[in-house]
Amino acid sequence: ITALASCRTINAAITKSSNGTTIYLSEGIHTSTSSFVATINKNVVFIGGWSNSFTTQTGQTILDGQNTRGGIRVNPGITTTLSNIIVQNGNTSLGAGVYNEGTLTLENTTLQKGYTDQGAGIYNQGNLTLKNVTIANNVTYNDGAGIYQKSGILDLTNVTISNNTAKSSGGGIYVYDGSVTINNSTITQNIAADPGALAIGGGLSNYFNKPVTIRNTIIAGNGADIVPDCRGQITSAGHNLIGYGDG
C-alpha cells in the first residue's frame, strides 16, 4: 500500500491496511484533519522518503502537525516501525511529536518543533527504540521537552537530543518511571528554564532515580539553574562524558 498513491492521507492508508502490511510513504509534506497526522492502530511498517512513482527512495517524508495536532500516536498493544520520516510542528496536550503506548521503533527520523505540556518530542509509556534519530527544537511548558519517559522501556542508539527547552525539568529527557538505556548518543544544548522557580536538569533529569544506563554518550553543554547536565543517578557502562551532575 502507498499512502498517497492509493489513499489521500496516512490515516486512510492505515484504515485500508491489515496487520503485517508495509506502507510506503511518498516524500514531501503529509498533513491531516484528525487529532494526529498518523494514529497507528494496526501492526504495520512505514517506510518513508519514496518518490511519487514509488520507484526510488530519494528523500524523507514529513508529517506536519501544522501547530494544531500531534504527529504520531501508537495505540496500546500495537507493534510498529517507522523509518525515514520527519515529524514537525506538533501541538497537543502530551506527546506533540510522538505519543507512544505500544511497541515502537523509529529509525532515521527527526522530531522537531513540537510544543506541548510534557514530551514535545516524544511522550513514552510503552516500549520505544530509537536508532539514528534527532530530537531538536522542541518546547514544553512543563517537563521533558525532548523526551518524557512516563513508563515502559526506552532504548536509544545513535540519537542526538539538542536545543530543546523545558520550563521545569529535563530539557533533553525527563525520566518519571520505567528503564532507559542510552548508547552512542549526544544530549547537548538543551535548557530547563523557569522564570518563576529554579529549573533543574537541563540535559537529563532522573529525579526518582529509575534505572538509567549510558554508554559511549555525551551529556554536556546543557543549561539549567541547578544541575545543568544530569540530575539523579545513572549507571555508566563506560566511555561517557558527563558535564555537571549530581548523581
Side-chain angles (χ1 to χ4, degrees):
I1 293 177
T2 57
L4 292 187
S6 58
C7 303
R8 295 181 65 88
T9 66
I10 295 175
N11 283 328
I14 296 170
T15 298
K16 294 180 66 173
S17 69
S18 57
N19 287 327
T21 297
T22 297
I23 299 176
Y24 297 94
L25 304 174
S26 62
E27 61 184 346
I29 297 176
H30 297 234
T31 60
S32 176
T33 58
S34 303
S35 56
F36 285 83
V37 179
T39 297
I40 305 174
N41 55 14
K42 296 177 182 176
N43 299 326
V44 293
V45 173
F46 299 85
I47 303 176
W50 291 89
S51 62
N52 289 331
S53 61
F54 294 94
T55 56
T56 57
Q57 196 176 13
T58 56
Q60 285 190 305
T61 299
I62 300 172
L63 277 62
D64 194 332
Q66 300 174 302
N67 298 310
T68 58
R69 62 187 56 84
I72 298 168
R73 181 184 179 111
V74 181
N75 286 351
I78 297 301
T79 299
T80 186
T81 298
L82 297 96
S83 61
N84 297 314
I85 64 171
I86 296 171
V87 183
Q88 65 184 28
N89 299 325
N91 191 331
T92 185
S93 59
L94 298 171
V98 173
Y99 184 94
N100 179 51
E101 294 182 290
T103 298
L104 169 63
T105 299
L106 291 176
E107 299 178 341
N108 303 320
T109 291
T110 297
L111 307 169
Q112 62 186 16
K113 301 178 182 179
Y115 183 79
T116 187
D117 183 20
Q118 294 175 325
I122 297 172
Y123 186 97
N124 181 55
Q125 52 182 354
N127 296 326
L128 177 61
T129 299
L130 306 180
K131 300 177 182 178
N132 303 315
V133 170
T134 297
I135 303 171
N137 300 308
N138 299 284
V139 177
T140 180
Y141 49 90
N142 206 315
D143 302 313
I147 301 174
Y148 189 97
Q149 169 62 13
K150 173 67 173 179
S151 60
I153 298 171
L154 176 63
D155 192 326
L156 283 65
T157 302
N158 297 328
V159 173
T160 298
I161 302 174
S162 65
N163 294 297
N164 302 285
T165 302
K167 182 179 179 181
S168 180
S169 183
I173 302 175
Y174 183 88
V175 181
Y176 179 82
D177 204 351
S179 63
V180 179
T181 302
I182 305 173
N183 293 291
N184 304 322
S185 296
T186 300
I187 302 173
T188 190
Q189 297 183 22
N190 302 283
I191 296 172
D194 185 349
L198 293 177
I200 306 174
L204 184 152
S205 180
N206 184 27
Y207 176 77
F208 299 103
N209 292 324
K210 300 301 179 178
V212 175
T213 302
I214 65 173
R215 181 177 182 272
N216 288 340
T217 289
I218 297 170
I219 307 176
N222 301 283
D225 296 315
I226 301 174
V227 195
D229 290 308
C230 190
R231 176 196 192 191
Q233 295 180 3
I234 59 172
T235 298
S236 174
H239 309 287
N240 300 297
L241 175 61
I242 308 297
Y244 295 92
D246 67 349

